[in-house]
Amino acid sequence: MKSGQAEIMETSKGIQKSGLMSRRIAILEFILRIVAFFNTIGSAILMGTTHETLPFFTQFIRFQAEYNDLPALTFFVVANAVVSGYLILSLTLAFVHIVKRKTQNTRILLIILDVAMLGLLTSGASSAAAIVYLAHNGNNKTNWFAICQQFNSFCERISGSLIGSFIAIFLLILLILLSAIALSRRH
């Protein structure tokens, strides 16, 4: 009798530790989703409000640089906006993971959606990174000149928005790994 009770006690302690660890992972996931949201929405806003005008010879002839002049930067803004919207909506499921124990189906759903959003955000950030590279360095073989010497604030803002987006990519990877760890602890 005593050995059977000891086994039950050890099993219940293991379940309690597993439940506590799952709750901690769920809280960490919730916080990471909030931080990733602010990175993506900040990147979208920073890129979307980027605009610089330079005079050319006279006051009436001007050169302008805007994010929507280049489709890759427009895609970057849209991708960040979509991912930030997703992250806000996914906070409800992340909150459910904190409150409830049996959340295997919603964790699987979040992993699938997180991977899709990771792909979207990575493609948007990568396409914008190629344009930012050209803006900073140009390409002599194709006669594309570096514009960052003239449009300093434009280049600083688009580079800063890329940093926020790549931080969000890293956070999404962490979220996927944490969800997978939480799922593996349940079985």
Side-chain angles (χ1 to χ4, degrees):
M1 277 286 199
K2 289 186 178 181
S3 70
Q5 289 176 346
E7 287 179 20
I8 292 172
M9 292 290 284
E10 285 181 24
T11 304
S12 67
K13 285 181 183 179
I15 290 172
Q16 287 176 350
K17 278 186 177 180
S18 175
L20 182 63
M21 186 58 119
S22 293
R23 177 170 266 174
R24 287 180 181 164
I25 289 173
I27 291 170
L28 182 60
E29 283 180 342
F30 189 81
I31 292 168
L32 288 177
R33 285 184 190 283
I34 292 171
V35 173
F37 164 75
F38 283 116
N39 276 304
T40 55
I41 197 71
S43 292
I45 291 171
L46 190 62
M47 182 71 79
T49 58
T50 300
H51 174 79
E52 188 173 358
T53 304
L54 294 175
F56 181 72
F57 289 126
T58 68
Q59 185 178 3
F60 301 109
I61 301 173
R62 296 174 182 229
F63 287 125
Q64 290 186 0
E66 293 182 10
Y67 83 96
N68 59 357
D69 292 337
L70 298 162
L73 299 183
T74 304
F75 175 60
F76 175 82
V77 171
V78 171
N80 274 282
V82 167
V83 172
S84 64
Y86 161 75
L87 286 168
I88 281 294
L89 294 176
S90 70
L91 283 176
T92 56
L93 286 178
F95 184 73
V96 168
H97 294 163
I98 295 172
V99 177
K100 285 180 124 184
R101 284 183 168 225
K102 303 275 184 186
T103 57
Q104 295 167 349
N105 293 337
T106 57
R107 281 204 185 273
I108 291 171
L109 176 67
L110 274 182
I111 287 175
I112 292 168
L113 293 174
D114 284 348
V115 169
M117 292 300 121
L118 176 64
L120 177 64
L121 191 61
T122 303
S123 63
S126 298
S127 66
I131 297 301
V132 170
Y133 176 80
L134 283 175
H136 280 284
N137 299 322
N139 187 340
N140 291 334
K141 293 178 183 177
T142 58
N143 289 329
W144 289 345
F145 301 108
I147 65 164
C148 286
Q149 296 159 353
Q150 292 84 20
F151 295 98
N152 280 336
S153 76
F154 177 79
C155 289
E156 288 172 3
R157 288 176 64 100
I158 61 176
S159 297
S161 67
L162 270 178
I163 291 169
S165 191
F166 278 113
I167 290 171
I169 289 170
F170 176 72
L171 292 175
L172 276 173
I173 292 170
L174 279 178
L175 283 168
I176 293 166
L177 291 174
L178 284 173
S179 290
I181 289 169
L183 270 177
S184 68
R185 291 184 150 281
R186 304 255 180 203
H187 295 288

